[in-house]
Amino acid sequence: MSPAPGAPRASGSAGELGEAGVAHLGPNTLRLSEDMLTDFEEAGFSLEQADRAVNTVMSYVIGVSTAEAARLTMLARSGRSEQEWTEHLWPAAERAVQPPYPRLRRLYASRHGEVVDGARNDNFRDGLACVPDGLEARLPDPGSPDRL
């Protein structure tokens, strides 16, 4: 079955992720998973909650990495650096966020002239830091009888 006209196509790496069904059985991945489960259990999560937490962290990392790989592949094909591509696209982006998008316009204006690579790395770190913060918020209070 072919995708509908105009529908986004999965990148090659996204399709391959679905075919990697037994990759999680390798010794390095098993060791990493065991260590992460241990860390989350020691933080107060049940084993089931720890498993969901590990899956959430890994989903964030894989999702961001896959999107970044696709973007960097596109950039390599264009022959432009990431900074050059952003500067080339900037006038169209500024036109696109004119009213009725005041928040996006302010956001774009605040980012004009940023070093793209540094911003991308900062965004990844900040986003990843939000994951354990959100997971921690789900834990019962330390003194609570519901604490696992």
Side-chain angles (χ1 to χ4, degrees):
M1 175 187 222
S2 62
R9 295 182 184 271
S11 72
S13 60
E16 290 170 10
L17 285 174
E19 296 172 12
V22 294
H24 64 280
L25 298 177
N28 293 331
T29 303
L30 288 171
R31 190 172 18 266
L32 175 64
S33 296
E34 183 71 17
D35 290 348
M36 291 177 73
L37 287 169
T38 299
D39 290 343
F40 279 108
E41 276 191 311
E42 288 175 356
F45 290 89
S46 70
L47 181 57
E48 292 77 18
Q49 291 169 325
D51 182 50
R52 284 191 296 275
V54 168
N55 288 332
T56 300
V57 169
M58 295 308 292
S59 293
Y60 176 81
V61 170
I62 291 169
V64 170
S65 299
T66 301
E68 181 175 338
R71 177 176 165 78
L72 294 176
T73 298
M74 180 273 306
L75 287 170
R77 289 180 183 150
S78 78
R80 293 184 175 164
S81 72
E82 189 172 16
Q83 195 69 38
E84 290 168 337
W85 181 262
T86 300
E87 289 169 7
H88 171 75
L89 190 61
W90 199 262
E94 285 182 320
R95 284 190 303 275
V97 296
Q98 292 306 308
Y101 308 108
R103 287 167 190 80
L104 287 171
R105 191 173 63 252
R106 283 196 319 266
L107 181 64
Y108 281 33
S110 74
R111 292 184 175 167
H112 192 126
E114 275 185 337
V115 176
V116 178
D117 187 46
R120 183 171 29 87
N121 291 333
D122 290 345
N123 288 337
F124 176 80
R125 271 191 300 276
D126 291 347
L128 184 57
C130 289
V131 175
D133 291 348
L135 293 168
E136 182 180 34
R138 298 191 61 161
L139 285 172
D141 291 329
S144 168
D146 295 331
R147 178 79 182 212
L148 301 174

